Amino acid sequence: MKVSRRQALALGIAAPALFRLGPARAATALKISHQFPGGTPTEGDFRDRLCRRFAALIQERSKGAMSAEIYPGSSLMKTNAQFSAMRKGALDMSLIPISYAGGDLPELNIGLMPGLVTGYDEGLGWKNKPIGQEFSKLLAAKGVVIITWIWQAGGAASRARPLVEVADAKGMKIRGGSREMDLVLQAAGASVLSLPSNELYAAMQTGACDAALTSSTSLTSFRLEELAKHLTTGREKSYWFMLEPLVMSKAVFDRLSNEEREIIVSVGAELEEFGRAAAVEDDVRVAKVYQAAGATVHDLDAKLVTAWRDLARDTAWKDYANKNENCARLIKLAMEAGS
């Protein structure tokens, strides 16, 4: 029996059947931009590898109907332009620290709120808790969809003296990575500078930056061990956890067929375990890289993390909660998720 297109729609027949009944659908070619060094599916910065795995899997599962091209090193567009480009539908996808867009959308600064998230289980648990659901809803309303939840612990690389205790920050020029981290550092007596992680090497090389807080992966991908005399790691404990997801323009996502959206979502979820394992591996590897380069390596303990968290609660957390009703609700939900 021949089925008309209208009948197929009414019966809910799968998208591939509709493709055969109607005009051929053009293949979907996505562009994924990120700021990190490029590599291969098996070598290099894990964030680039994750993007390449994503591209390979969606192409395989869509039988070639979807593909994705990776643009590492901000080669397609500048780092700080990527989020707004996705909101407008001018960029398909990016893997980006979500707090980079906190200047325009202050709610996003919760993605790098010092002391709020203190472990991978807690961070990745957001996805299925009210905090993650509310955050995803807010992002979607602003034109961006989270495809893969990725959290990274971070540490500090410093040129001359260590940055371990709160008192160590006094008098140093430090890159914190988010507005809220900067507030904590300023309260500790530091001066701060704001720049993406792919610009840290030049800033430390010229002396404009004494110390940089960034993810374990970026501490090595951007070769900061060549300049640092001290490293504080996140391999044991950390007050610095960053949400750095693979995200997609909602305008682009909404244009996809149901089948394509299902593939995108399922592949994105599957890659979360890879992201977690790679991040944890880098938390350990970074110490070995810096030791080999001659740096002194320091770890954090519960007492040190508590001191940073207490300072953050009195400064950054309060500042964030007072921004607007969304911020107040989000940080309350995040605190409940971690309790």
Side-chain angles (χ1 to χ4, degrees):
M1 179 183 73
K2 187 174 181 180
V3 181
S4 71
R5 180 180 177 85
R6 180 175 297 176
Q7 288 172 317
L9 287 168
L11 293 170
I13 291 176
L18 294 180
F19 292 161
R20 290 193 294 271
L21 292 169
R25 181 187 175 103
T28 299
L30 302 170
K31 293 182 178 181
I32 306 176
S33 176
H34 66 72
Q35 72 190 69
F36 311 106
T40 71
T42 57
E43 299 291 334
D45 189 301
F46 89 80
R47 296 161 296 194
D48 179 76
R49 286 187 282 136
L50 187 145
C51 291
R52 294 179 190 279
R53 289 184 180 213
F54 175 84
L57 285 169
I58 65 168
Q59 184 163 1
E60 174 189 327
R61 294 188 189 174
S62 69
K63 296 180 171 55
M66 284 193 293
S67 63
E69 188 168 354
I70 317 301
Y71 294 85
S74 298
S75 55
L76 183 64
M77 63 178 62
K78 291 183 178 179
T79 305
N80 290 331
Q82 294 175 20
F83 193 86
S84 60
M86 281 185 292
R87 292 185 67 191
K88 299 171 186 174
L91 173 64
D92 301 326
M93 300 184 71
S94 177
L95 197 158
I96 189 169
I98 208 71
S99 61
Y100 278 17
D104 294 328
L105 301 173
E107 294 90 345
L108 304 192
N109 281 319
I110 200 168
L112 209 174
M113 181 67 67
L116 185 61
V117 171
T118 56
Y120 287 102
D121 286 343
E122 183 182 337
L124 290 167
W126 277 24
K127 179 179 179 179
N128 297 314
K129 292 184 177 181
I131 174 59
Q133 294 160 0
E134 284 295 310
F135 191 70
S136 295
K137 187 188 302 182
L138 182 142
L139 267 182
K142 301 300 183 181
V144 175
V145 178
I146 297 182
I147 303 301
T148 304
W149 286 76
I150 303 166
W151 283 90
Q152 287 190 269
S158 50
R159 297 172 71 241
R161 56 189 175 91
L163 177 58
V164 183
E165 300 184 27
V166 171
D168 295 336
K170 189 172 183 179
M172 295 180 75
K173 296 172 288 187
I174 307 174
R175 183 266 190 180
S178 71
R179 180 180 184 278
E180 276 61 33
M181 191 68 239
D182 288 349
L183 287 174
V184 174
L185 293 168
Q186 287 171 328
S191 57
V192 298
L193 62 158
S194 177
L195 70 167
S197 54
N198 59 328
E199 296 178 17
L200 284 175
Y201 190 97
M204 289 186 69
Q205 188 177 43
T206 61
C209 178
D210 295 323
L213 285 158
T214 190
S215 67
S216 299
T217 309
S218 289
L219 284 166
T220 54
S221 287
F222 296 116
R223 309 188 334 272
L224 300 185
E225 73 275 7
E226 297 176 5
L227 305 171
K229 298 298 182 186
H230 293 273
L231 170 74
T232 302
T233 81
R235 62 183 171 176
E236 299 291 340
K237 295 181 180 297
S238 184
Y239 55 85
W240 197 100
F241 275 85
M242 173 179 63
L243 177 59
E244 191 169 29
L246 179 64
V247 289
M248 187 174 200
S249 165
K250 189 173 186 299
V252 174
F253 185 80
D254 289 347
R255 287 200 297 266
L256 300 175
S257 69
N258 288 337
E259 183 186 30
E260 289 173 329
R261 287 196 292 267
E262 288 172 5
I263 291 171
I264 293 284
V265 170
S266 63
V267 168
E270 287 174 27
L271 287 170
E272 286 167 358
E273 182 52 40
F274 167 77
R276 176 194 173 123
V280 171
E281 182 180 326
D282 282 353
D283 291 340
V284 175
R285 185 176 66 88
V286 64
K288 298 176 181 178
V289 170
Y290 277 69
Q291 283 174 331
T296 302
V297 174
H298 311 264
D299 293 308
L300 297 170
D301 59 25
K303 183 179 179 181
L304 290 166
V305 170
T306 297
W308 282 103
R309 182 186 176 96
D310 288 346
L311 181 58
R313 184 185 288 109
D314 292 339
T315 55
W317 295 19
K318 286 184 178 178
D319 179 83
Y320 178 85
N322 290 331
K323 281 291 178 185
N324 57 48
E325 290 183 5
N326 284 335
C327 289
R329 184 171 68 258
L330 287 171
I331 197 163
K332 180 176 182 292
L333 291 172
M335 291 168 69
E336 290 171 355
S339 59

